[in-house]
Amino acid sequence: MEYNDFPGLYQASDKASLSAQKNYKNIIAYDLITMIIASGLAIYNFRQVDPKLIVYVFSGFFLLISFALTLIIRTKKFEDVWYQGRALAESCKTLSWRFITCSESFEHNLSTNQVEDYFISRIKELSNEFKDLNESLNAKIAVLPIITKKMWEIRNLNTLERKQYYIENRINDQKDWYATKAEFNKTKYNNWFLVIIASQLIAIISVAFLIKYPDSNWNLVGLFTTISASAISWLQLKQHQELKQAYTTAAQELNFIQASFGNVNTDLELAEFVLDSENAISREHTLWLAQKRK
């Protein structure tokens, strides 16, 4: 399904989560960069007072910016909106796929009114569960239809057509996304680890240089130890290694589940198949959320 084919609450919570995630990571990145710049200004020890004063002023300016950014991170609570928005969006998405495939609680033999009422009640429960997000949601998006025309259109397909649609638009799409993200995080993890190793090595060389030339006005130790510490902090924030493992596991589990889809021929079998698949996707998200909250 297209993005706009999902309930308005999904679209609003997804946008709120992505926006909060972007703001949170950007502010932390700027925070780390300003600290690196402040430490970089001190690499040369000027003998004259005036140049020293200028360096101190600029260093203090960047440290002040860093302090202000830290306060923003603390007060704005972007991280909470990011996590809660993601949890709400994924819950709405899973519920939507169960609805359109006539899975558990949305069986094909139920009346239109029964299915519609239950779906709306579940969406309402989710909205109440995450009511703290309301101030971060775009009201115009949140009030879009709860059940879209596309959702009814797919639900009214026959069993084999619903099965094929689910495989192509949910399983394959999610599996490819997991695999791509797993390799992306693996590459990023290796790259940042190289930055950490290189900056620590340069810091060690700088110390050796100062031991040999103690009267030197150049001191790169502070700069590269700050770079190393910042890279470690960024790596912990992004959790590339943990995400790589989680995405790889989820992709493999979906692949094993998909291997059995040839035996799906009835509504009951499709309902069980969808339930297994959505549980696998839900486990990945639960693991991600747990890792982010550590």
Side-chain angles (χ1 to χ4, degrees):
M1 295 209 301
E2 298 296 328
Y3 189 81
N4 294 333
D5 294 326
F6 286 97
L9 186 60
Y10 162 78
Q11 298 179 47
S13 56
D14 182 68
K15 288 183 181 296
S17 177
L18 291 174
S19 177
Q21 177 189 12
K22 181 180 179 180
N23 289 333
Y24 180 68
K25 291 184 176 180
N26 283 346
I27 291 175
I28 288 182
Y30 297 146
D31 196 353
L32 295 174
I33 289 172
T34 53
M35 286 191 292
I36 291 174
I37 293 174
S39 63
L41 290 171
I43 62 176
Y44 186 77
N45 183 26
F46 290 95
R47 297 298 184 184
Q48 295 80 14
V49 174
D50 288 344
K52 275 188 177 182
L53 182 60
I54 294 173
V55 169
Y56 292 156
V57 169
F58 276 99
S59 294
F61 173 73
F62 283 108
L63 288 175
L64 186 61
I65 292 176
S66 177
F67 177 71
L69 292 174
T70 301
L71 291 179
I72 291 174
I73 293 172
R74 176 63 179 172
T75 56
K76 288 296 185 178
K77 297 182 179 180
F78 290 121
E79 197 174 12
D80 290 341
V81 176
W82 172 16
Y83 299 161
Q84 292 185 37
R86 186 80 271 125
L88 177 56
E90 293 301 325
S91 297
C92 289
K93 197 171 190 178
T94 290
L95 199 63
S96 299
W97 278 109
R98 286 172 53 196
F99 173 88
I100 66 177
T101 55
C102 305
S103 186
E104 185 182 32
S105 300
F106 302 101
E107 288 82 358
H108 202 269
N109 57 356
L110 297 176
S111 69
T112 299
N113 288 338
Q114 285 178 312
V115 171
E116 184 174 10
D117 290 345
Y118 183 71
F119 185 82
I120 293 174
S121 68
R122 288 291 293 116
I123 292 292
K124 185 177 180 180
E125 288 175 9
L126 289 172
S127 178
N128 291 334
E129 183 181 350
F130 294 93
K131 60 183 178 181
D132 291 343
L133 270 178
N134 285 342
E135 64 182 42
S136 301
L137 299 181
N138 185 314
K140 290 184 178 180
I141 299 176
V143 298
L144 290 174
I146 297 175
I147 305 177
T148 63
K149 292 181 180 180
K150 188 67 174 181
M151 291 170 65
W152 281 117
E153 178 185 326
I154 300 169
R155 179 179 171 81
N156 290 328
L157 297 174
N158 63 46
T159 304
L160 294 181
E161 288 174 331
R162 274 184 278 118
K163 162 190 165 182
Q164 194 60 36
Y165 189 91
Y166 183 74
I167 288 294
E168 293 176 357
N169 295 275
R170 179 58 160 168
I171 299 296
N172 287 341
D173 182 72
Q174 199 71 34
K175 192 172 63 172
D176 291 343
W177 189 88
Y178 284 146
T180 301
K181 283 292 185 178
E183 290 306 305
F184 170 82
N185 280 282
K186 178 182 177 181
T187 301
K188 288 295 183 180
Y189 176 80
N190 291 335
N191 290 343
W192 278 110
F193 216 83
L194 286 175
V195 171
I196 295 169
I197 292 174
S199 56
Q200 290 180 345
L201 183 60
I202 295 175
I204 293 172
I205 294 173
S206 299
V207 169
F209 175 81
L210 290 175
I211 292 173
K212 187 173 182 180
Y213 304 101
D215 294 331
S216 174
N217 291 328
W218 292 95
N219 186 347
L220 300 177
V221 178
L223 172 62
F224 284 96
T225 52
T226 302
I227 292 175
S228 176
S230 298
I232 291 173
S233 298
W234 187 251
L235 198 57
Q236 290 176 335
L237 169 69
K238 301 290 283 186
Q239 293 187 325
H240 290 300
Q241 182 68 3
E242 293 84 351
L243 289 176
K244 190 269 180 187
Q245 293 174 352
Y247 290 146
T248 299
T249 300
Q252 290 176 338
E253 188 170 0
L254 281 181
N255 198 44
F256 288 130
I257 293 173
Q258 185 178 355
S260 64
F261 90 101
N263 300 322
V264 175
N265 297 301
T266 66
D267 281 336
L268 179 60
E269 291 171 340
L270 178 59
E272 293 176 352
F273 178 78
V274 170
L275 190 60
D276 288 342
S277 302
E278 294 303 321
N279 283 339
I281 295 171
S282 177
R283 277 193 294 275
E284 177 277 323
H285 174 68
T286 302
L287 177 61
W288 173 86
L289 193 60
Q291 289 172 338
K292 286 293 181 182
R293 289 191 179 279
K294 285 182 180 179

